């Protein structure tokens, strides 16, 4: 199992923050993923900064599918060590 | 079946919101999809914000084919849990 | 046959509107396609909005070949249901 | 033979207009092509609009090779029907 | 083993600086990698310059996964010679 | 042999002008190429226009390797007909 | 061996200048490479021009890995002829 897959496996059902190539962040609970880095998040909200410098958080539906090729990085507040 | 395919299978004949790389959203009823994330939507409308900050919704024909490589994310108002 | 191919098969010899990644739309009668989404349109015209907000329609030759990787979406005014 | 290849085969030794992803058009006589949509044109000239709105046509050498992945669309003034 | 993999193998558990295509740098301790250049960093912080010219460093969670296709370059303060 | 390869074969040891996706042109004597359109040029100089409209030519070393995926087009002042 | 690989083989342990797609140049001593054009440079420094027109050179660590898909061109001050 590759580094990315092991990381996502350990992050299942936890809150993750996904940074996308269009400059937007999406936060939600990771429910599913595959080896393209396609992600399914629950209770997702998008987070971005307006041109006026205001931070905005929008709920974006109960469940969201993110196409993996848009992902720059994924961070998790706390997960265990990688074996 | 991958995460993305299972998600789309559960969303068939429901209203979905598709976020595209060009900054536009398309909303419509999902009628068909394939493993490139090509999507066919009925009663589709595009949703975008003008440079003046006005929100616009345009009907874009009875049926639309979206090429999968343009998709950033797909959200659904309500679907069941993924098994 | 994939969703995209079935959609295009049903749209043969009808008027379609193609949205391209460079922001331009091309409208014409679909005469041929292949599995890269390369499209051949007859009586094609390009449709775009100038920086001054003016809508422009230009005839672009009797027959045009569009390279599939430029396509965002294709819409059709009216086609039958997908089987 | 795919739609694109058949189109190019019928356009051999005729004048074509190629629209490129960088916003420039190239017009010339099609002398050769391959299945990547690499094109070889004779008597080619580039056509573009300056920021000041002026249309410019420049001769760009006796023979030019265009790398296929830059092509948006190709149009021909007049060719026969596709069989 | 390719040049890139040998470089990353020697950098394991050391502090690296990753330059990304979106103009941001991420610094952290390399914990894992794979042959797509997907990277897992601990104690990661992002480093960027605001439009006003101010340098900013933000902690971005205990552990971050960077998708390899975003990487421009990786530098290390000190590592041994490549065999 | 594909169209592109035949074109480059005929251009060996002649002066070519390469248009790149970043808006810069490179002129030099073609010494080698491969089927990715990677090019090796001798006595190369880059040619570009500054934002102030000034044309600039810079020598860029005795020998330069251009990665093929950056190439838009290649033109040659004079070569024979393609067989 | 392809043109690019032969060029890099001849440039080993010499000073090269790498032009990247983000507009930055990196100069350093080539220590390793692979067939993706991933490069490892020692004593690397980045060279760029600020928006104010000032040329800047920054040391970027003892050893740097450049992901090959960012490379536009590589030049060398002096190397022998290609056989």
């Amino acid at each position: 199992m590759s580094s990315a897959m092991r990381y996502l496996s350990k992050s299942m059902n936890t809150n993750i923050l996904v940074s996308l190539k269009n400059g937007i962040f999406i936060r939600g609970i990771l429910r599913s993923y595959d080896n393209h880095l396609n992600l399914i998040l629950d209770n997702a909200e998008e987070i971005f900064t307006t041109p006026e410098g205001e931070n905005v958080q929008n709920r974006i539906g109960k469940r969201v599918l993110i196409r993996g090729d848009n992902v720059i990085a994924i961070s998790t507040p706390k997960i265990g060590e990688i074996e």
Side-chain angles (χ1 to χ4, degrees), chain A:
Chain A
M1 189 160 54
S2 79
S3 294
M5 291 303 99
R6 207 163 40 199
Y7 178 91
L8 291 170
S9 163
K10 285 175 167 288
S11 303
M12 278 292 286
N13 300 314
T14 69
N15 212 30
I16 65 171
L17 180 66
V18 184
S19 158
L20 298 181
K21 289 180 183 168
N22 66 352
I24 288 177
F25 291 80
I26 296 185
R27 181 157 47 197
I29 299 167
L30 180 64
R31 292 301 190 204
S32 183
Y33 62 90
D34 60 31
N35 60 358
H36 300 290
L37 255 58
N38 293 325
L39 305 171
I40 294 179
L41 303 183
D42 272 1
N43 301 329
E45 53 185 8
E46 60 173 0
I47 305 168
F48 60 93
T49 305
T50 65
E52 291 75 32
E54 193 188 357
N55 289 306
V56 176
Q57 297 190 14
N58 284 331
R59 285 296 301 274
I60 49 174
K62 177 166 169 39
R63 181 157 285 185
V64 63
L65 163 63
I66 299 171
R67 200 173 193 267
D69 69 327
N70 298 286
V71 173
I72 296 177
I74 301 173
S75 61
T76 52
K78 294 190 231 170
I79 64 169
E81 293 296 304
I82 288 179
E83 280 101 50

